[in-house]
Amino acid sequence: MESTLLSQKIKTDRELIATNTFELQMAKMPELMKRYSARQLDKTQQDIRYHIQFLIEAVSAKSPVLFANYLLWLKEILDNLGLPPEDLKMSIHYLADTLRGLYCADYEQDIAPIINDGLQKLEITEVHTETFLKAGLAHTELAKRYLAALLTGDRHQANEMIQAAVKSGIPIKEIYLQVFQNTQYEIGRLWQIDQITVAQEHYCTAASQFIMAQLYPYIFTVPNQGITVLATCVGKELHEIGLRMVTDLMELSGLNTYYLGANVPTASIISAINQEQADILAISATMTFHVSEVKALIDQIRTVEGGQDIKIMVGGYPFNIDGNLWKHVGADGYAADSETAVLLAYDLAKRS
């Protein structure tokens, strides 16, 4: 079966798959019923659903690294909670058994290589994500003090630090790349290793967006080069601060941006492309399980008037995991970070 059709089949059957996998795991590991609380058993079922979500994207894109990366992410979370990874490994084995029974030949050809690669990496890979605020970078100390202020809930102090840095002559671009960007990466890492809560992550992100906005009087003074970039997050993707940083740096580099943000219907994106006569569409996806939505959006844009010629660039975490994923979704290129995105936009504009 073609990979996209198979992934859609798994998506349609995911509740059946999740139920069968959980029941199989409980039958094979009855001690879990005694060892786990009712809440932990519910969490186990939810985790199986997440396994399936990430597997769907990996199957659709024929990308084992997407699923393996997800499993290693879970492994690091378990390590930091002091929990052994054996239950995770067994859950994946039982998921494999369920899928093998449902899809037979398709399983062996298109699913087994992805699951087996993930299980192999779980066995051989030591997971330890290093800090993004490394010594030796020009503004690491500022970034550390900025993050410390945010984590104590003092956005006013954090804002004063940034304003003082600008007045001292530090370029806006360096503040974005070495303070805002690296701090957001570090916040994500701290959440991943269970050092901060979801509430803290949300507060820090919202505070940084507010502080970034205070710099707009500096950013929007750069002469426009006549190239318009329309920027949007895909579908239900709510992680928009990365795209906001990209568009701010684009403005600082002379590009005209039309920022749509998150939760924008496809019809509205298409309408905006034509209304703004955009040269480039920038699409962001942070969560791996939104990759298929990126592909669906691009496929639809390519079928309408004005959508065939626009250059499309993509970015976000899953595209950094698999450097060829941008080709799968039908984009014209991808950028690994904010600085690269500016360079790519100018390059795509030359090709339009």
mmCIF file of all heavy atoms in Angstrom, residues 280-319:
data_model
loop_
_atom_site.group_PDB
_atom_site.id
_atom_site.type_symbol
_atom_site.label_atom_id
_atom_site.label_comp_id
_atom_site.label_asym_id
_atom_site.label_seq_id
_atom_site.Cartn_x
_atom_site.Cartn_y
_atom_site.Cartn_z
ATOM 1 N N ILE A 280 6.526 34.797 -1.216
ATOM 2 C CA ILE A 280 6.959 33.606 -0.483
ATOM 3 C C ILE A 280 5.953 33.311 0.619
ATOM 4 O O ILE A 280 5.435 34.219 1.268
ATOM 5 C CB ILE A 280 8.353 33.824 0.154
ATOM 6 C CG1 ILE A 280 9.402 34.091 -0.929
ATOM 7 C CG2 ILE A 280 8.778 32.629 1.000
ATOM 8 C CD1 ILE A 280 10.697 34.670 -0.393
ATOM 9 N N LEU A 281 5.674 32.013 0.834
ATOM 10 C CA LEU A 281 4.865 31.574 1.959
ATOM 11 C C LEU A 281 5.776 30.809 2.910
ATOM 12 O O LEU A 281 6.440 29.846 2.509
ATOM 13 C CB LEU A 281 3.721 30.674 1.509
ATOM 14 C CG LEU A 281 2.896 30.013 2.620
ATOM 15 C CD1 LEU A 281 2.169 31.068 3.452
ATOM 16 C CD2 LEU A 281 1.896 29.013 2.042
ATOM 17 N N ALA A 282 5.843 31.227 4.172
ATOM 18 C CA ALA A 282 6.628 30.536 5.198
ATOM 19 C C ALA A 282 5.678 29.808 6.138
ATOM 20 O O ALA A 282 4.779 30.416 6.713
ATOM 21 C CB ALA A 282 7.479 31.535 5.978
ATOM 22 N N ILE A 283 5.857 28.492 6.263
ATOM 23 C CA ILE A 283 4.980 27.662 7.093
ATOM 24 C C ILE A 283 5.800 27.051 8.222
ATOM 25 O O ILE A 283 6.862 26.473 7.984
ATOM 26 C CB ILE A 283 4.329 26.535 6.271
ATOM 27 C CG1 ILE A 283 3.568 27.107 5.071
ATOM 28 C CG2 ILE A 283 3.396 25.703 7.141
ATOM 29 C CD1 ILE A 283 3.039 26.038 4.127
ATOM 30 N N SER A 284 5.279 27.159 9.434
ATOM 31 C CA SER A 284 5.977 26.624 10.599
ATOM 32 C C SER A 284 5.189 25.489 11.231
ATOM 33 O O SER A 284 3.967 25.561 11.355
ATOM 34 C CB SER A 284 6.192 27.736 11.633
ATOM 35 O OG SER A 284 6.752 27.222 12.824
ATOM 36 N N ALA A 285 5.902 24.436 11.634
ATOM 37 C CA ALA A 285 5.307 23.330 12.397
ATOM 38 C C ALA A 285 6.317 22.892 13.450
ATOM 39 O O ALA A 285 7.448 22.534 13.117
ATOM 40 C CB ALA A 285 4.952 22.161 11.488
ATOM 41 N N THR A 286 5.920 22.947 14.706
ATOM 42 C CA THR A 286 6.812 22.556 15.794
ATOM 43 C C THR A 286 6.616 21.104 16.188
ATOM 44 O O THR A 286 7.576 20.419 16.538
ATOM 45 C CB THR A 286 6.578 23.458 17.030
ATOM 46 O OG1 THR A 286 6.826 24.815 16.655
ATOM 47 C CG2 THR A 286 7.506 23.086 18.169
ATOM 48 N N MET A 287 5.385 20.626 16.128
ATOM 49 C CA MET A 287 5.081 19.263 16.544
ATOM 50 C C MET A 287 5.100 18.317 15.345
ATOM 51 O O MET A 287 4.519 18.607 14.296
ATOM 52 C CB MET A 287 3.711 19.204 17.219
ATOM 53 C CG MET A 287 3.563 20.169 18.393
ATOM 54 S SD MET A 287 4.843 19.957 19.662
ATOM 55 C CE MET A 287 4.447 18.309 20.265
ATOM 56 N N THR A 288 5.747 17.164 15.521
ATOM 57 C CA THR A 288 5.888 16.203 14.434
ATOM 58 C C THR A 288 4.544 15.749 13.890
ATOM 59 O O THR A 288 4.384 15.531 12.680
ATOM 60 C CB THR A 288 6.709 14.992 14.914
ATOM 61 O OG1 THR A 288 8.020 15.440 15.292
ATOM 62 C CG2 THR A 288 6.835 13.942 13.819
ATOM 63 N N PHE A 289 3.541 15.614 14.769
ATOM 64 C CA PHE A 289 2.254 15.109 14.288
ATOM 65 C C PHE A 289 1.464 16.144 13.491
ATOM 66 O O PHE A 289 0.317 15.900 13.129
ATOM 67 C CB PHE A 289 1.409 14.519 15.431
ATOM 68 C CG PHE A 289 1.284 15.373 16.654
ATOM 69 C CD1 PHE A 289 0.442 16.458 16.679
ATOM 70 C CD2 PHE A 289 2.018 15.065 17.789
ATOM 71 C CE1 PHE A 289 0.310 17.235 17.811
ATOM 72 C CE2 PHE A 289 1.903 15.852 18.933
ATOM 73 C CZ PHE A 289 1.046 16.929 18.942
ATOM 74 N N HIS A 290 2.083 17.299 13.198
ATOM 75 C CA HIS A 290 1.451 18.277 12.316
ATOM 76 C C HIS A 290 2.064 18.291 10.920
ATOM 77 O O HIS A 290 1.651 19.079 10.074
ATOM 78 C CB HIS A 290 1.547 19.684 12.919
ATOM 79 C CG HIS A 290 0.687 19.887 14.121
ATOM 80 N ND1 HIS A 290 0.993 20.767 15.138
ATOM 81 C CD2 HIS A 290 -0.488 19.304 14.485
ATOM 82 C CE1 HIS A 290 0.058 20.723 16.063
ATOM 83 N NE2 HIS A 290 -0.846 19.851 15.686
ATOM 84 N N VAL A 291 3.037 17.418 10.666
ATOM 85 C CA VAL A 291 3.707 17.409 9.365
ATOM 86 C C VAL A 291 2.728 17.113 8.229
ATOM 87 O O VAL A 291 2.773 17.738 7.169
ATOM 88 C CB VAL A 291 4.864 16.391 9.356
ATOM 89 C CG1 VAL A 291 5.401 16.189 7.938
ATOM 90 C CG2 VAL A 291 5.995 16.863 10.269
ATOM 91 N N SER A 292 1.832 16.169 8.442
ATOM 92 C CA SER A 292 0.873 15.833 7.389
ATOM 93 C C SER A 292 -0.022 17.019 7.058
ATOM 94 O O SER A 292 -0.470 17.172 5.919
ATOM 95 C CB SER A 292 0.028 14.621 7.784
ATOM 96 O OG SER A 292 -0.667 14.866 8.992
ATOM 97 N N GLU A 293 -0.283 17.877 8.057
ATOM 98 C CA GLU A 293 -1.084 19.071 7.802
ATOM 99 C C GLU A 293 -0.315 20.066 6.937
ATOM 100 O O GLU A 293 -0.913 20.791 6.138
ATOM 101 C CB GLU A 293 -1.498 19.715 9.122
ATOM 102 C CG GLU A 293 -2.466 18.868 9.939
ATOM 103 C CD GLU A 293 -2.892 19.563 11.214
ATOM 104 O OE1 GLU A 293 -3.253 20.761 11.145
ATOM 105 O OE2 GLU A 293 -2.857 18.924 12.273
ATOM 106 N N VAL A 294 1.003 20.124 7.111
ATOM 107 C CA VAL A 294 1.824 20.980 6.252
ATOM 108 C C VAL A 294 1.708 20.509 4.812
ATOM 109 O O VAL A 294 1.499 21.308 3.889
ATOM 110 C CB VAL A 294 3.306 20.966 6.697
ATOM 111 C CG1 VAL A 294 4.159 21.804 5.739
ATOM 112 C CG2 VAL A 294 3.446 21.500 8.117
ATOM 113 N N LYS A 295 1.828 19.205 4.606
ATOM 114 C CA LYS A 295 1.718 18.653 3.252
ATOM 115 C C LYS A 295 0.345 18.915 2.650
ATOM 116 O O LYS A 295 0.226 19.306 1.474
ATOM 117 C CB LYS A 295 2.000 17.141 3.268
ATOM 118 C CG LYS A 295 2.076 16.516 1.870
ATOM 119 C CD LYS A 295 2.433 15.047 1.956
ATOM 120 C CE LYS A 295 2.697 14.473 0.568
ATOM 121 N NZ LYS A 295 1.630 14.742 -0.418
ATOM 122 N N ALA A 296 -0.704 18.715 3.456
ATOM 123 C CA ALA A 296 -2.062 18.943 2.955
ATOM 124 C C ALA A 296 -2.269 20.403 2.584
ATOM 125 O O ALA A 296 -2.903 20.716 1.561
ATOM 126 C CB ALA A 296 -3.081 18.511 4.007
ATOM 127 N N LEU A 297 -1.736 21.314 3.384
ATOM 128 C CA LEU A 297 -1.859 22.743 3.093
ATOM 129 C C LEU A 297 -1.149 23.095 1.799
ATOM 130 O O LEU A 297 -1.714 23.775 0.928
ATOM 131 C CB LEU A 297 -1.270 23.562 4.249
ATOM 132 C CG LEU A 297 -1.164 25.078 4.030
ATOM 133 C CD1 LEU A 297 -2.538 25.689 3.757
ATOM 134 C CD2 LEU A 297 -0.498 25.740 5.235
ATOM 135 N N ILE A 298 0.073 22.605 1.639
ATOM 136 C CA ILE A 298 0.826 22.906 0.422
ATOM 137 C C ILE A 298 0.149 22.300 -0.801
ATOM 138 O O ILE A 298 0.038 22.938 -1.856
ATOM 139 C CB ILE A 298 2.281 22.405 0.548
ATOM 140 C CG1 ILE A 298 3.012 23.216 1.628
ATOM 141 C CG2 ILE A 298 3.019 22.514 -0.791
ATOM 142 C CD1 ILE A 298 4.414 22.738 1.928
ATOM 143 N N ASP A 299 -0.328 21.065 -0.667
ATOM 144 C CA ASP A 299 -1.015 20.411 -1.790
ATOM 145 C C ASP A 299 -2.221 21.238 -2.234
ATOM 146 O O ASP A 299 -2.475 21.399 -3.434
ATOM 147 C CB ASP A 299 -1.470 19.003 -1.393
ATOM 148 C CG ASP A 299 -0.322 18.009 -1.314
ATOM 149 O OD1 ASP A 299 0.778 18.329 -1.812
ATOM 150 O OD2 ASP A 299 -0.523 16.919 -0.737
ATOM 151 N N GLN A 300 -2.972 21.758 -1.266
ATOM 152 C CA GLN A 300 -4.166 22.529 -1.605
ATOM 153 C C GLN A 300 -3.785 23.864 -2.241
ATOM 154 O O GLN A 300 -4.421 24.308 -3.200
ATOM 155 C CB GLN A 300 -5.026 22.756 -0.370
ATOM 156 C CG GLN A 300 -6.389 23.362 -0.689
ATOM 157 C CD GLN A 300 -7.388 23.217 0.441
ATOM 158 O OE1 GLN A 300 -7.147 22.489 1.407
ATOM 159 N NE2 GLN A 300 -8.509 23.910 0.343
ATOM 160 N N ILE A 301 -2.773 24.504 -1.719
ATOM 161 C CA ILE A 301 -2.328 25.791 -2.274
ATOM 162 C C ILE A 301 -1.899 25.625 -3.732
ATOM 163 O O ILE A 301 -2.185 26.488 -4.584
ATOM 164 C CB ILE A 301 -1.174 26.374 -1.432
ATOM 165 C CG1 ILE A 301 -1.715 26.879 -0.091
ATOM 166 C CG2 ILE A 301 -0.449 27.504 -2.172
ATOM 167 C CD1 ILE A 301 -0.652 27.265 0.892
ATOM 168 N N ARG A 302 -1.248 24.520 -4.022
ATOM 169 C CA ARG A 302 -0.742 24.294 -5.382
ATOM 170 C C ARG A 302 -1.859 24.069 -6.404
ATOM 171 O O ARG A 302 -1.606 24.107 -7.604
ATOM 172 C CB ARG A 302 0.199 23.085 -5.399
ATOM 173 C CG ARG A 302 1.502 23.260 -4.631
ATOM 174 C CD ARG A 302 2.292 24.453 -5.088
ATOM 175 N NE ARG A 302 3.656 24.464 -4.545
ATOM 176 C CZ ARG A 302 4.424 25.523 -4.471
ATOM 177 N NH1 ARG A 302 3.966 26.710 -4.886
ATOM 178 N NH2 ARG A 302 5.639 25.453 -3.984
ATOM 179 N N THR A 303 -3.090 23.841 -5.931
ATOM 180 C CA THR A 303 -4.192 23.569 -6.863
ATOM 181 C C THR A 303 -4.999 24.813 -7.200
ATOM 182 O O THR A 303 -5.875 24.749 -8.058
ATOM 183 C CB THR A 303 -5.154 22.514 -6.276
ATOM 184 O OG1 THR A 303 -5.780 23.047 -5.108
ATOM 185 C CG2 THR A 303 -4.408 21.241 -5.924
ATOM 186 N N VAL A 304 -4.720 25.934 -6.534
ATOM 187 C CA VAL A 304 -5.545 27.126 -6.751
ATOM 188 C C VAL A 304 -4.775 28.197 -7.496
ATOM 189 O O VAL A 304 -3.547 28.186 -7.555
ATOM 190 C CB VAL A 304 -6.055 27.698 -5.402
ATOM 191 C CG1 VAL A 304 -6.879 26.665 -4.664
ATOM 192 C CG2 VAL A 304 -4.892 28.187 -4.549
ATOM 193 N N GLU A 305 -5.525 29.128 -8.061
ATOM 194 C CA GLU A 305 -4.913 30.235 -8.789
ATOM 195 C C GLU A 305 -4.055 31.063 -7.832
ATOM 196 O O GLU A 305 -4.480 31.429 -6.745
ATOM 197 C CB GLU A 305 -6.001 31.121 -9.403
ATOM 198 C CG GLU A 305 -5.454 32.253 -10.262
ATOM 199 C CD GLU A 305 -6.559 33.091 -10.883
ATOM 200 O OE1 GLU A 305 -7.748 32.709 -10.725
ATOM 201 O OE2 GLU A 305 -6.242 34.106 -11.517
ATOM 202 N N GLY A 306 -2.853 31.341 -8.267
ATOM 203 C CA GLY A 306 -1.927 32.097 -7.439
ATOM 204 C C GLY A 306 -1.072 31.223 -6.549
ATOM 205 O O GLY A 306 -0.102 31.699 -5.949
ATOM 206 N N GLY A 307 -1.417 29.939 -6.454
ATOM 207 C CA GLY A 307 -0.675 29.043 -5.572
ATOM 208 C C GLY A 307 0.396 28.230 -6.265
ATOM 209 O O GLY A 307 1.259 27.644 -5.611
ATOM 210 N N GLN A 308 0.333 28.190 -7.606
ATOM 211 C CA GLN A 308 1.299 27.366 -8.327
ATOM 212 C C GLN A 308 2.688 28.002 -8.356
ATOM 213 O O GLN A 308 3.703 27.311 -8.382
ATOM 214 C CB GLN A 308 0.831 27.118 -9.777
ATOM 215 C CG GLN A 308 -0.459 26.324 -9.890
ATOM 216 C CD GLN A 308 -1.684 27.224 -9.891
ATOM 217 O OE1 GLN A 308 -1.612 28.419 -9.552
ATOM 218 N NE2 GLN A 308 -2.827 26.669 -10.288
ATOM 219 N N ASP A 309 2.723 29.313 -8.361
ATOM 220 C CA ASP A 309 3.994 30.005 -8.565
ATOM 221 C C ASP A 309 4.659 30.484 -7.284
ATOM 222 O O ASP A 309 5.856 30.760 -7.275
ATOM 223 C CB ASP A 309 3.783 31.213 -9.488
ATOM 224 C CG ASP A 309 3.272 30.809 -10.863
ATOM 225 O OD1 ASP A 309 3.681 29.735 -11.336
ATOM 226 O OD2 ASP A 309 2.462 31.553 -11.437
ATOM 227 N N ILE A 310 3.920 30.611 -6.206
ATOM 228 C CA ILE A 310 4.504 31.119 -4.981
ATOM 229 C C ILE A 310 5.548 30.147 -4.439
ATOM 230 O O ILE A 310 5.375 28.925 -4.491
ATOM 231 C CB ILE A 310 3.419 31.383 -3.910
ATOM 232 C CG1 ILE A 310 4.017 32.154 -2.735
ATOM 233 C CG2 ILE A 310 2.758 30.086 -3.447
ATOM 234 C CD1 ILE A 310 2.994 32.648 -1.742
ATOM 235 N N LYS A 311 6.662 30.685 -3.966
ATOM 236 C CA LYS A 311 7.692 29.855 -3.356
ATOM 237 C C LYS A 311 7.305 29.578 -1.904
ATOM 238 O O LYS A 311 6.878 30.481 -1.180
ATOM 239 C CB LYS A 311 9.052 30.545 -3.407
ATOM 240 C CG LYS A 311 9.572 30.781 -4.818
ATOM 241 C CD LYS A 311 9.776 29.474 -5.564
ATOM 242 C CE LYS A 311 10.338 29.706 -6.960
ATOM 243 N NZ LYS A 311 10.473 28.437 -7.724
ATOM 244 N N ILE A 312 7.470 28.328 -1.488
ATOM 245 C CA ILE A 312 7.063 27.931 -0.145
ATOM 246 C C ILE A 312 8.269 27.400 0.627
ATOM 247 O O ILE A 312 8.983 26.510 0.156
ATOM 248 C CB ILE A 312 5.959 26.863 -0.191
ATOM 249 C CG1 ILE A 312 4.711 27.407 -0.908
ATOM 250 C CG2 ILE A 312 5.606 26.392 1.219
ATOM 251 C CD1 ILE A 312 3.585 26.403 -1.056
ATOM 252 N N MET A 313 8.473 27.968 1.806
ATOM 253 C CA MET A 313 9.530 27.503 2.693
ATOM 254 C C MET A 313 8.912 27.002 3.989
ATOM 255 O O MET A 313 7.863 27.487 4.424
ATOM 256 C CB MET A 313 10.534 28.628 2.988
ATOM 257 C CG MET A 313 9.940 29.877 3.589
ATOM 258 S SD MET A 313 11.112 31.261 3.714
ATOM 259 C CE MET A 313 12.167 30.681 5.023
ATOM 260 N N VAL A 314 9.543 26.011 4.577
ATOM 261 C CA VAL A 314 9.024 25.439 5.818
ATOM 262 C C VAL A 314 10.128 25.428 6.869
ATOM 263 O O VAL A 314 11.320 25.523 6.551
ATOM 264 C CB VAL A 314 8.493 24.000 5.610
ATOM 265 C CG1 VAL A 314 7.276 23.999 4.708
ATOM 266 C CG2 VAL A 314 9.583 23.092 5.049
ATOM 267 N N GLY A 315 9.719 25.306 8.115
ATOM 268 C CA GLY A 315 10.676 25.224 9.205
ATOM 269 C C GLY A 315 10.008 24.736 10.467
ATOM 270 O O GLY A 315 8.785 24.635 10.543
ATOM 271 N N GLY A 316 10.828 24.418 11.457
ATOM 272 C CA GLY A 316 10.310 23.901 12.713
ATOM 273 C C GLY A 316 11.007 22.599 13.072
ATOM 274 O O GLY A 316 11.738 22.008 12.270
ATOM 275 N N TYR A 317 10.772 22.138 14.278
ATOM 276 C CA TYR A 317 11.494 21.003 14.840
ATOM 277 C C TYR A 317 11.517 19.751 13.959
ATOM 278 O O TYR A 317 12.589 19.184 13.735
ATOM 279 C CB TYR A 317 10.919 20.676 16.217
ATOM 280 C CG TYR A 317 11.651 19.590 16.946
ATOM 281 C CD1 TYR A 317 12.973 19.753 17.327
ATOM 282 C CD2 TYR A 317 11.013 18.392 17.271
ATOM 283 C CE1 TYR A 317 13.654 18.750 17.996
ATOM 284 C CE2 TYR A 317 11.674 17.391 17.943
ATOM 285 C CZ TYR A 317 12.997 17.572 18.310
ATOM 286 O OH TYR A 317 13.663 16.566 18.972
ATOM 287 N N PRO A 318 10.382 19.264 13.431
ATOM 288 C CA PRO A 318 10.437 18.021 12.650
ATOM 289 C C PRO A 318 11.302 18.135 11.396
ATOM 290 O O PRO A 318 11.919 17.151 10.964
ATOM 291 C CB PRO A 318 8.975 17.739 12.295
ATOM 292 C CG PRO A 318 8.258 19.029 12.501
ATOM 293 C CD PRO A 318 8.999 19.741 13.583
ATOM 294 N N PHE A 319 11.388 19.330 10.825
ATOM 295 C CA PHE A 319 12.203 19.508 9.621
ATOM 296 C C PHE A 319 13.686 19.521 9.958
ATOM 297 O O PHE A 319 14.523 19.210 9.102
ATOM 298 C CB PHE A 319 11.776 20.781 8.892
ATOM 299 C CG PHE A 319 10.366 20.740 8.410
ATOM 300 C CD1 PHE A 319 9.347 21.341 9.129
ATOM 301 C CD2 PHE A 319 10.040 20.052 7.253
ATOM 302 C CE1 PHE A 319 8.033 21.279 8.700
ATOM 303 C CE2 PHE A 319 8.728 19.968 6.810
ATOM 304 C CZ PHE A 319 7.721 20.580 7.539
#
